[in-house]
Amino acid sequence: MSSILDEYEDSLNSRHPVQHSSRLSAANIGMTHSGFVNVRLEEEKPIFNKQRIDFSPPEKINHFAVCNNQLCMSLGKDTLLRIDLAKPDRPNQVELGRKEDSRVHKLFLDPTGSHLVISLSTSECLYLNRNTQKVRSLSRWRGHLIESVGWNKLLRTETNTGPILVGTSQGIIFEAEISASEGSLFNTNPDQYFKQVHSLEEDGRPAPVCCIEVERGPESKVVIIATTRKRLFQFVGRVAEGSEQQGFSAIFSQNQELLPSFQEFPFNMGYSEITFYTPKLRSCPKAFAWMMGNGVLYGQLDYVKLDSLLSDVQVWDYTPDIDFSFNKPISIVLTQFHFLLLLPDRVKAICTLNGQVVYEDVFPDKFGTLKKMIKDPAGGLVWIYTEKAVFRYHIQREARDVWQMYMSMNKFDLAKEYCRDRPECMDIVLAKEAEHCFQDKRYLESAKCYALTQNYFEEIALKFIEAKQEEALKEFLLKKLNNLKQSEKTQITLLVTWLTELYLNRLGLLQSDEGKHGVFQETRDEFRKFLSSSKHKECLYNNRTTIYDLLASHGNVDDMVYFSVIMQDYERVISHHCQHDDYSAALEVLSKHCDEKLFYKFSPILMQHIPKKVVDAWIQMGSRLEPKKLIPALVNYSQMGSTQQVNETIRYMEFCVYQLTVTEEAIHNYLLSLYAKYKPDSLLWYLEQAGSHLSDIHYDLKYALRLCAEHGYLQACVLVYKIMELYEEAVDLALQVDVDLAKTCADLPEDDEELRKKLWLKIACHVVQEEKDVKKAMNCLSSCNLLKIEDILPFFPDFVTIDHFKEAICSSLEEYNQHIDELKQEMEEATESAKRIREDIQEMRNKYGVVENQEKCAACDFPLLNRPFYLFLCGHMFHYDCLFQEVTPHLSTYKQTKLGELQKRLAAATQTSKSRHRPAPKEKEEGGDTASLGKGSAGVSREQIKSDIDDIIACECVYCGELMIKSIDKPFIDPQKFEEEKSSWL
């Protein structure tokens, strides 16, 4: 018993079940070749996979029930075996304790597996709860042979069934309730009540209630389906919310006034069975299958319909090999797409879509006759038992071949629904649907389907071409194009080019037909939408030359312009507008897209026709345009153009100079030339505001001078001469214009008094000799303090009397006297200063300092008196060598070089002095006077060198003098020696 659910495959070498394939090959349906290759690495498992339970019952199995993984079977005369399939190793055996003459008629297990009703052949009933071992008698049920039970799926609990319906062999339907609790002292029966609510008849006589089912639909609707041997009854009613516990009496009472709705069939095989398919656990059944005498009634359950719950009903006749005389169908089970019929020796699976037998499994005789087939709604397993064995079926991927059946029925939407995750099957369905639509002359729908298939592109395209269906061909190409990947550049290019040609052909035909203006506009909009598609923008851009050629060959100028805008080929758009003399439109495109290169290219022709608008556009572009690149067009039309063009040219040049502050020499030179030629009044103003310093001047001075001279603008020439600092030329030219202008020029060389005097003399000479105005000449003396009366006297003619110069001569003499007095005062101050200096020198000679023996060097901190040292007035004292090291880094390069030379000279002089102090050879004694003379000269030279060195290193204290102040911003370590110093510390 412990291994009852250890599964294993039945001995396959005994016999294989017959699996009828329902797959339809491509050849059978006349389908074109698909691009998919169906490769299976292993054999696909069958839909219905049978497994035998490794279980040998000690006694024969009488009845069998399974729900919610709870299995119950009646064994022998008085044994009930219960197994929780979640715990198969702990079976539970219960003794029924019934009479000798009674046997189990049927077992009824509720959907939760908690409540078991045992119907006995003696018209008695027993009850067993899952949580107890005690079998209890249902006394109120006594006297009725129970044929069916309709469980309550809403109000049930583990201890209470809630109101349920019970069908008897006499056609009576009772309502009852069973409770597993012990009850009160006076009521220990599990059956709470048992009352009749309805009765069923056939041909005027009571008929056994073979099956009864209770379901709850939407909006508190309750549906009761009951079957007899050849009738199917429906009872539909509503139960008020909260009154479910009152039972089903109200449902039957609502149908008392009317005859109950039923389906009846003529043939009677003595019993019937109904089964339901529920997609999800705890949901309403979706379909039903009723096994009766005439065949299997199959249909859908529609809870919304008012007249009948059943819809799409059809009867599938039994196959010819079923003979009621010896192999009547015993049981039926319904799955999503099949119903299984249990015959005495085999199981047949019939597809509910087409009524074909898709599976047949014959059982060996050694197991005995098949007795019953049951489906567990919780796990979806199908159980079959004989007196000696138990089998079960796993149903795997039942919908795998449904698409073929729907496809053969031309229900393509449903077919695609069931092969959504199988692209090779989806391709076959789409190809079949496309072919079907093509045959029905629904070409557009056919094109959409063909575009989704992997069929040969050329075959499909030729098919539409032969049928002269350009619209369908276009639709096919569009769909195919949208399905291509971006990497398939060649295919995309081919389709885009072909579609363009098709669109252009279509537009050409529609344009010639005046009655189809609306269609023409729709087609054009569609074509432009195609051209502006972002998905194919790259392809269109790379092949824009081909597209332009196609558009040009069809003479479609408007769409060419539209395509050019999309491709941002504004040059072509502007050229088109210019060719059609629509210069404003061309400028509008230029201004909108602000392409500098296009401005440079098209500005010449636009400037010729709409100069004001062009200049406005240039000004709006501002600094994005380089004015220098626009000069060729401006020069061209300013020389040969109208006054308006010249004025607009000047306006733009002024904008560049005064607002954009352009400093390019070419721009300023060009503006100067325009001013000189067309606006001379603005020339002098421009030169004046341009500045007088060379750094502020952005035009060529020589060019400006030549330009002004050519046009005779002398005052402007004077201004240029002044900027060039050619003051003599400026004064000479200014004297031709105005003496006052010359005077302003003469005062400009402030730092060169000699030049100023020379310039003023020129002015005075001009005034005396050219204008012969003595008074004005005297004014020159007052205007320039460099001129004296004696400087200008030679310019006067001999006939001039002294009366004109009397005041000037007196004034000059007074100035000389004053100058003599100033010189005397300066001499006295110099004499006094020299006297004070001599006194200070004498005082310094007598100044001294006291050095104690413990004094130390301020630099090295060693005793000072050990080596030569320096004492400064500030009190700092340094060794000679220490001071030398401190001062040298702060000296300039020149002084460092000079100091090095002095040290070499000092060393050489010292060496010479030592050599002269050595004893001389006797033969050389006569040269003694010469040696003594040399010693004296060497001593003077050495002292002078030391004095020069002192002047360099000891001119001031290194800690208190200017050297320390200048070294504040210098680093402690020379940057050039930093790395060397850094490495020395490591």
Side-chain angles (χ1 to χ4, degrees):
M1 288 292 182
S2 61
S3 62
I4 189 170
L5 285 182
D6 293 340
E7 302 173 4
Y8 75 100
E9 292 288 343
D10 192 17
S11 181
L12 295 179
N13 43 353
S14 62
R15 181 164 31 89
H16 287 284
V18 180
Q19 183 88 19
H20 296 280
S21 174
S22 63
R23 300 177 184 270
L24 302 176
S25 66
N28 292 337
I29 59 177
M31 200 170 300
T32 54
H33 175 73
S34 170
F36 285 97
V37 178
N38 192 7
V39 178
R40 289 187 180 144
L41 299 179
E42 59 182 17
E43 186 178 354
E44 195 171 31
K45 292 183 179 180
I47 295 175
F48 303 100
N49 185 21
K50 182 179 73 173
Q51 294 175 331
R52 182 191 172 192
I53 304 302
D54 185 15
F55 169 58
S56 298
E59 300 179 82
K60 68 176 184 179
I61 302 174
N62 298 322
H63 290 279
F64 187 96
V66 60
C67 271
N68 197 27
N69 286 332
Q70 301 297 317
L71 187 149
C72 300
M73 63 177 74
S74 171
L75 302 177
K77 294 183 179 180
D78 200 35
T79 303
L80 182 70
L81 183 65
R82 295 188 298 179
I83 301 173
D84 185 352
L85 298 181
K87 304 172 184 177
D89 56 340
R90 288 186 286 179
N92 176 252
Q93 187 169 321
V94 179
E95 299 297 329
L96 298 179
R98 53 190 172 83
K99 299 177 182 179
E100 289 292 333
D101 57 343
S102 67
R103 58 182 178 82
V104 174
H105 177 61
K106 284 185 178 180
L107 296 179
F108 304 100
L109 187 62
D110 84 309
T112 65
S114 301
H115 307 282
L116 177 65
V117 173
I118 307 167
S119 173
L120 302 179
S121 59
T122 56
S123 298
E124 293 179 293
C125 285
L126 303 177
Y127 170 73
L128 181 63
N129 189 271
R130 182 173 63 182
N131 299 322
T132 65
Q133 289 286 104
K134 182 179 179 181
V135 179
R136 304 173 68 183
S137 175
L138 300 174
S139 58
R140 291 188 175 91
W141 298 35
R142 190 175 292 117
H144 300 284
L145 183 62
I146 306 302
E147 295 288 343
S148 58
V149 175
W151 297 101
N152 193 324
K153 299 174 184 177
L154 181 65
L155 300 177
R156 63 178 180 238
T157 63
E158 287 192 1
T159 60
N160 193 288
T161 63
I164 61 175
L165 294 177
V166 179
T168 68
S169 59
Q170 298 300 315
I172 303 174
I173 299 177
F174 290 92
E175 182 181 318
E177 184 176 354
I178 303 174
S179 176
S181 59
E182 293 296 332
S184 62
L185 179 63
F186 301 101
N187 184 15
T188 59
N189 295 329
D191 47 340
Q192 302 298 304
Y193 64 89
F194 190 75
K195 62 181 180 179
Q196 180 178 345
V197 292
H198 199 72
S199 61
L200 302 180
E201 296 180 352
E202 282 182 358
D203 302 328
R205 293 190 302 272
V209 182
C210 299
C211 297
I212 190 166
E213 183 77 14
V214 180
E215 294 293 342
R216 177 170 292 275
E219 299 178 358
S220 303
K221 182 183 288 187
V222 175
V223 176
I224 300 171
I225 296 177
T227 64
T228 59
R229 291 167 296 193
K230 59 180 184 177
R231 285 187 178 181
L232 186 150
F233 294 86
Q234 303 175 56
F235 302 92
V236 181
R238 297 183 185 276
V239 176
E241 189 174 351
S243 61
E244 293 87 352
Q245 196 65 40
Q246 296 178 6
F248 304 102
S249 302
I251 305 298
F252 290 101
S253 62
Q254 291 175 17
N255 292 270
Q256 288 293 336
E257 300 177 358
L258 303 173
L259 290 174
S261 174
F262 64 88
Q263 298 263 352
E264 183 175 10
F265 292 88
F267 191 76
N268 179 4
M269 65 176 182
Y271 58 88
S272 71
E273 185 174 344
I274 192 168
T275 180
F276 298 89
Y277 168 68
T278 304
K280 297 179 181 178
L281 197 63
R282 296 186 179 88
S283 64
C284 297
K286 180 182 177 183
F288 75 97
W290 180 35
M291 182 187 71
M292 41 79 182
N294 290 81
V296 176
L297 178 69
Y298 172 78
Q300 305 295 316
L301 297 176
D302 188 350
Y303 296 92
V304 181
K305 287 178 65 176
L306 299 177
D307 55 341
S308 174
L309 184 67
L310 313 180
S311 68
D312 299 333
V313 175
Q314 54 186 332
V315 177
W316 296 113
D317 295 333
Y318 295 120
T319 55
D321 61 331
I322 296 178
D323 188 351
F324 283 7
S325 61
F326 65 90
N327 65 343
K328 290 192 297 184
I330 301 170
S331 292
I332 186 170
V333 164
L334 181 63
T335 63
Q336 186 177 6
F337 295 105
H338 303 85
F339 58 83
L340 279 68
L341 278 179
L342 182 68
L343 301 172
D345 63 341
R346 70 191 61 199
V347 172
K348 286 189 176 185
I350 294 94
C351 179
T352 57
L353 299 176
N354 54 18
Q356 296 181 2
V357 177
V358 298
Y359 176 81
E360 185 170 357
D361 189 9
V362 180
F363 285 73
D365 295 337
K366 65 179 181 179
F367 297 122
T369 304
L370 303 180
K371 301 193 69 175
K372 190 74 173 177
M373 178 170 59
I374 304 164
K375 180 183 177 183
D376 183 357
L381 299 176
V382 178
W383 298 79
I384 298 176
Y385 73 95
T386 68
E387 291 182 348
K388 301 178 181 179
V390 178
F391 302 88
R392 72 177 180 183
Y393 283 90
H394 288 268
I395 302 175
Q396 298 175 331
R397 296 180 60 233
E398 184 182 3
R400 69 180 72 169
D401 296 327
V402 171
W403 63 273
Q404 295 186 12
M405 301 173 192
Y406 280 129
M407 183 178 65
S408 63
M409 299 161 62
N410 293 334
K411 296 182 177 180
F412 300 108
D413 290 339
L414 290 173
K416 287 184 282 189
E417 183 69 26
Y418 286 100
C419 60
R420 192 181 299 276
D421 56 345
R422 300 171 66 185
E424 71 281 1
C425 302
M426 178 69 79
D427 191 71
I428 296 173
V429 174
L430 288 169
K432 176 66 175 177
E433 182 181 6
E435 183 67 25
H436 178 74
C437 293
F438 193 91
Q439 296 297 334
D440 288 350
K441 297 185 178 181
R442 292 181 289 150
Y443 297 110
L444 286 177
E445 296 178 28
S446 175
K448 292 177 182 177
C449 293
Y450 268 132
L452 298 175
T453 68
Q454 298 295 321
N455 290 12
Y456 291 131
F457 173 83
E458 298 84 352
E459 292 181 2
I460 301 169
L462 286 172
K463 201 169 188 178
F464 287 115
I465 292 173
E466 290 172 358
K468 298 181 179 180
Q469 295 296 322
E470 283 196 6
E471 280 298 309
L473 177 61
K474 184 184 71 177
E475 187 67 28
F476 169 69
L477 296 179
L478 281 172
K479 293 292 183 183
K480 205 70 178 176
L481 179 62
N482 290 331
N483 293 334
L484 289 176
K485 299 178 182 177
Q486 291 296 325
S487 58
E488 299 173 306
K489 297 185 182 297
T490 304
Q491 293 89 331
I492 292 175
T493 302
L494 171 66
L495 293 180
V496 166
T497 308
W498 194 353
L499 281 166
T500 303
E501 180 68 28
L502 289 175
Y503 272 117
L504 291 173
N505 287 337
R506 178 68 174 164
L507 288 171
L509 292 173
L510 292 174
Q511 191 173 17
S512 60
D513 191 347
E514 296 181 358
K516 295 184 178 180
H517 179 73
V519 180
F520 169 78
Q521 194 60 43
E522 290 179 5
T523 306
R524 166 168 280 183
D525 293 342
E526 185 181 342
F527 178 47
R528 291 188 173 184
K529 184 178 179 182
F530 167 74
L531 292 177
S532 60
S533 171
S534 58
K535 186 176 181 180
H536 313 120
K537 185 175 182 179
E538 181 182 357
C539 175
L540 289 166
Y541 182 79
N542 294 334
N543 299 278
R544 60 188 183 279
T545 304
T546 305
I547 304 297
Y548 282 135
D549 292 342
L550 286 172
L551 291 165
S553 66
H554 285 266
N556 196 330
V557 178
D558 293 339
D559 289 324
M560 181 187 292
V561 173
Y562 179 82
F563 181 68
S564 302
V565 172
I566 293 172
M567 292 294 103
Q568 297 183 354
D569 189 359
Y570 304 118
E571 182 177 351
R572 189 180 293 269
V573 178
I574 297 168
S575 297
H576 168 77
H577 289 313
C578 290
Q579 289 171 4
H580 291 78
D581 297 335
D582 193 356
Y583 303 106
S584 297
L587 182 60
E588 184 179 351
V589 175
L590 262 179
S591 303
K592 182 177 181 181
H593 300 287
C594 303
D595 190 331
E596 294 85 356
K597 294 181 180 179
L598 295 181
F599 265 103
Y600 301 144
K601 181 174 182 178
F602 290 100
S603 287
I605 189 171
L606 295 176
M607 189 67 184
Q608 184 179 4
H609 296 89
I610 47 172
K612 185 179 185 307
K613 292 182 178 180
V614 172
V615 171
D616 290 339
W618 289 348
I619 292 174
Q620 188 176 3
M621 286 289 290
S623 58
R624 284 177 288 181
L625 290 178
E626 295 183 38
K628 187 167 64 174
K629 294 184 178 181
L630 296 172
I631 286 180
L634 294 173
V635 170
N636 184 23
Y637 294 110
S638 65
Q639 292 176 354
M640 56 180 288
S642 64
T643 304
Q644 183 185 12
Q645 292 168 348
V646 172
N647 292 336
E648 294 302 327
T649 302
I650 294 175
R651 181 162 73 95
Y652 181 66
M653 288 292 100
E654 289 177 342
F655 170 77
C656 295
V657 171
Y658 302 130
Q659 296 190 33
L660 296 183
T661 62
V662 174
T663 58
E664 293 182 9
E665 187 177 274
I667 301 299
H668 288 263
N669 288 345
Y670 183 47
L671 181 59
L672 268 176
S673 67
L674 291 174
Y675 279 152
K677 190 173 182 180
Y678 300 105
K679 292 181 69 175
D681 296 339
S682 301
L683 176 62
L684 188 60
W685 177 82
Y686 167 79
L687 293 174
E688 289 175 349
Q689 63 85 34
S692 58
H693 297 285
L694 292 176
S695 59
D696 299 331
I697 303 301
H698 302 299
Y699 55 86
D700 187 345
L701 289 168
K702 294 180 180 179
Y703 174 75
L705 183 62
R706 188 180 78 244
L707 197 66
C708 296
E710 287 178 356
H711 291 85
Y713 303 135
L714 299 181
Q715 192 171 352
C717 291
V718 172
L719 184 58
V720 174
Y721 275 132
K722 286 163 58 177
I723 297 171
M724 297 173 71
E725 297 182 354
L726 299 175
Y727 302 116
E728 290 189 41
E729 290 83 350
V731 170
D732 291 340
L733 195 59
L735 289 174
Q736 299 179 28
V737 180
D738 184 19
V739 174
D740 292 335
L741 179 61
K743 290 180 179 179
T744 58
C745 296
D747 283 332
L748 290 176
E750 297 176 354
D751 299 332
D752 192 347
E753 292 186 354
E754 183 179 351
L755 179 59
R756 284 177 60 202
K757 184 175 181 180
K758 181 179 179 181
L759 297 176
W760 277 102
L761 285 174
K762 281 190 175 188
I763 296 171
C765 179
H766 174 80
V767 170
V768 173
Q769 294 180 355
E770 298 296 331
E771 298 185 6
K772 302 183 187 302
D773 190 343
V774 178
K775 188 176 181 180
K776 188 178 287 187
M778 293 299 101
N779 290 336
C780 290
L781 293 178
S782 61
S783 299
C784 179
N785 55 2
L786 299 178
L787 292 182
K788 305 298 179 183
I789 185 62
E790 59 270 25
D791 296 327
I792 64 172
L793 283 177
F795 302 139
F796 289 96
D798 296 336
F799 60 84
V800 178
T801 61
I802 199 171
D803 294 339
H804 296 92
F805 315 117
K806 185 177 180 179
E807 294 181 2
I809 292 172
C810 294
S811 176
S812 179
L813 292 175
E814 289 177 1
E815 288 180 4
Y816 283 135
N817 290 333
Q818 184 178 358
H819 185 60
I820 291 170
D821 293 339
E822 290 176 356
L823 289 176
K824 286 181 180 179
Q825 186 176 355
E826 289 176 1
M827 290 174 64
E828 291 176 358
E829 290 176 357
T831 303
E832 184 67 24
S833 177
K835 181 180 178 182
R836 290 177 183 173
I837 291 173
R838 284 193 296 271
E839 291 175 356
D840 290 342
I841 291 173
Q842 187 64 34
E843 185 180 354
M844 289 298 295
R845 286 177 181 174
N846 299 327
K847 198 155 188 171
Y848 64 92
V850 179
V851 179
E852 302 290 341
N853 58 358
Q854 69 271 17
E855 294 290 345
K856 295 182 180 181
C857 174
C860 66
D861 205 29
F862 280 97
L864 185 68
L865 299 177
N866 290 348
R867 302 196 299 271
F869 63 90
Y870 289 95
L871 170 64
F872 291 94
L873 294 176
C874 60
H876 287 113
M877 292 169 278
F878 300 92
H879 288 129
Y880 168 78
D881 54 343
C882 293
L883 181 63
F884 187 87
Q885 291 178 0
E886 289 288 335
V887 172
T888 303
H890 300 285
L891 295 177
S892 63
T893 305
Y894 169 74
K895 287 189 176 182
Q896 287 182 359
T897 304
K898 184 177 180 181
L899 185 61
E901 292 176 355
L902 290 173
Q903 281 186 303
K904 291 178 182 179
R905 289 170 57 191
L906 180 62
T910 304
Q911 187 67 29
T912 303
S913 176
K914 288 181 179 180
S915 66
R916 286 174 179 170
H917 281 80
R918 293 172 186 169
K922 291 182 179 180
E923 61 270 16
K924 297 286 184 178
E925 285 182 0
E926 60 274 11
D929 295 338
T930 307
S932 61
L933 179 63
K935 178 182 177 183
S937 63
V940 173
S941 176
R942 190 163 166 269
E943 290 300 327
Q944 182 64 40
I945 293 171
K946 290 179 67 177
S947 177
D948 293 342
I949 292 175
D950 289 343
D951 291 340
I952 294 176
I953 67 171
C955 62
E956 61 179 352
C957 176
V958 70
Y959 285 171
C960 303
E962 291 185 5
L963 285 178
M964 181 59 66
I965 296 173
K966 292 178 179 179
S967 67
I968 288 176
D969 58 347
K970 292 184 179 180
F972 291 108
I973 301 174
D974 189 352
Q976 297 179 354
K977 300 180 180 180
F978 178 77
E979 292 298 330
E980 180 182 352
E981 187 72 20
K982 179 181 176 182
S983 61
S984 68
W985 281 75
L986 299 177

